[in-house]
Structures are given as structure tokens and as C-alpha cells.
Amino acid sequence: MASLDCSCKHPISGPLESSERTFYMNSPLNLSATDDKRLPPGLLSGLLSDAKVYPLKSASEDTNNVATKALRILIVDDSDLNRKVLRRQIQSESSGIWQNAVVKDADDGLTALEVMRTEMVAGECFDLVLLDFVMLQMHGPEAAKSMRSSLGFKGIILGVTGNALPEDVRVFKESGVNDILIKPLSKANLLAAFKTHMRTGDNAV
């Protein structure tokens, strides 16, 4: 089966304004002579004479850009309590990067893959996955490998686990996670880790 490419897109942020209406561009204006002839006389010159072009910003240039759309987050943990705590930490934000975040969850790695696959088929993509290590049907490292290789997921995966042993950390890192956070997890640490990997470009959000 061909892998699905999960590359999250952000809204275009560069308006091209004229005196009457606003246009949005994601590439340089490149009109040939043929294109020019199709336009009503004077329209092109009028648009260009009073237009202001705002260059697009990438997510790595400004981490606040991700706030222009609701983040989609997947929490994967076999503990109901841990999932509720993480969900509460994220949804308690009334402003900033977590505002209006769409949060879904799964209680094991296998279920997480199905949730992610369903999202991708629907044209959606998670920006962030919070992934536990030890779970019943499929452990975190195996789930991370499948997300990367089988589903083509390019977003941020943070391992959230109580396993701080060097060997466990190594296995988790080699599975394709961006970073590992040790429980109990604070909202400040979670936010800092997410912003760090947004800035360093370790993701395709």
C-alpha cells in the first residue's frame, strides 16, 4: 500500500492589497504578454501601481504562525487519567498557541494509527502527537515507526513516558520521535518542546 503524505499546510499570510480588494499570493507575480492581453485595459497597471506585497512567512520564521489555524493534537496513552490530564493542560489555554486546539486520543499504538489514518483520508493532519512508551497492543516506539514509514507522518512526535532509562530513551529516539519528555509533564515543558521543534524545522507542519 502506498504511504499517505501527511504534510500540514498553513494559511497563506501574504495579502496583495489594491484600493478595492485584497488578493493573496504564494508565489511571485509572473504575467506574460499573453496574460496581459486577456485583462481589461488599465486593470493590470492599476493593480500594480497601488499594490502592497507582503512576503510570506514560514512556520520556522515565526512559531506564532501556527496559531492562525487550530492545532490538531493526538494524545496516545493507555491511562485514562494521563490522557485527561494532557487534554486539560492543552485545552486550558484561552490564548496563544494551544487556543482552540482540536484534541483526539487513543489508548494504544494500534488505535492511534487508525485514528491518524482516518484523519489523513479525510484530508486532515495532526500537528503534534504525544506518545506513551508502554501500552497494551502496540508500544510507542513501534507506533512511531509506523507513523513515519507507513503513513508518511511528518509532524512532531513527542514521547511522553515515565521510562527515563538510557536504553529506553535510545529506543524511543531511534523510532522517529522528535524528543522525549519525562512524566509527570508540566504544560510549560510541553509548550517549550513543541516550540523548539517548530523553530528547528524538525517537522513538516
Side-chain angles (χ1 to χ4, degrees):
M1 176 184 294
S3 63
L4 296 170
D5 183 8
C6 188
S7 301
C8 299
K9 305 298 189 298
H10 288 279
I12 295 172
S13 58
L16 174 61
E17 297 179 351
S18 74
S19 58
E20 296 183 352
R21 51 174 66 91
T22 300
F23 303 87
Y24 284 84
M25 302 175 61
N26 62 358
S27 61
L29 190 63
N30 182 17
L31 292 174
S32 66
T34 303
D35 296 321
D36 190 13
K37 291 177 182 178
R38 296 196 191 102
L39 298 172
L43 176 59
L44 179 60
S45 59
L47 286 176
L48 296 180
S49 64
D50 65 353
K52 295 182 293 182
V53 178
Y54 298 81
L56 294 174
K57 291 183 178 181
S58 67
S60 61
E61 291 177 302
D62 183 359
T63 57
N64 289 328
N65 280 354
V66 291
T68 61
K69 75 178 184 71
L71 287 174
R72 302 184 72 83
I73 300 172
L74 176 61
I75 299 172
V76 189
D77 198 301
D78 59 353
S79 167
D80 291 341
L81 179 60
N82 288 342
R83 294 198 305 274
K84 288 177 181 178
V85 169
L86 285 171
R87 179 185 285 270
R88 189 177 300 117
Q89 287 179 340
I90 293 168
Q91 295 184 329
S92 64
E93 284 288 302
S94 59
S95 62
I97 201 168
W98 301 128
Q99 185 179 14
N100 301 321
V102 177
V103 181
K104 297 194 175 183
D105 57 41
D107 58 8
D108 60 63
L110 193 60
T111 303
L113 292 176
E114 289 303 317
V115 172
M116 181 174 286
R117 184 178 292 108
T118 299
E119 287 277 299
M120 295 167 70
V121 169
E124 299 289 354
C125 179
F126 288 110
D127 301 284
L128 170 65
V129 177
L130 302 176
L131 188 61
D132 189 22
F133 191 114
V134 179
M135 293 176 286
L136 291 177
Q137 293 196 60
M138 181 184 288
H139 290 343
E142 186 179 353
K145 286 181 181 179
S146 295
M147 289 175 185
R148 296 299 194 197
S149 61
S150 299
L151 298 182
F153 179 65
K154 298 177 182 177
I156 297 173
I157 302 177
L158 297 179
V160 182
T161 179
N163 295 326
L165 297 175
E167 177 64 15
D168 293 331
V169 171
R170 182 190 65 79
V171 171
F172 225 158
K173 289 288 288 185
E174 290 178 353
S175 71
V177 303
N178 297 85
D179 208 344
I180 299 170
L181 304 176
I182 305 302
K183 298 175 183 177
L185 179 63
S186 70
K187 182 166 64 176
N189 288 342
L190 175 59
L191 182 59
F194 180 72
K195 285 188 172 183
T196 294
H197 292 287
M198 284 296 301
R199 285 196 298 269
T200 57
D202 288 347
N203 55 283
V205 179

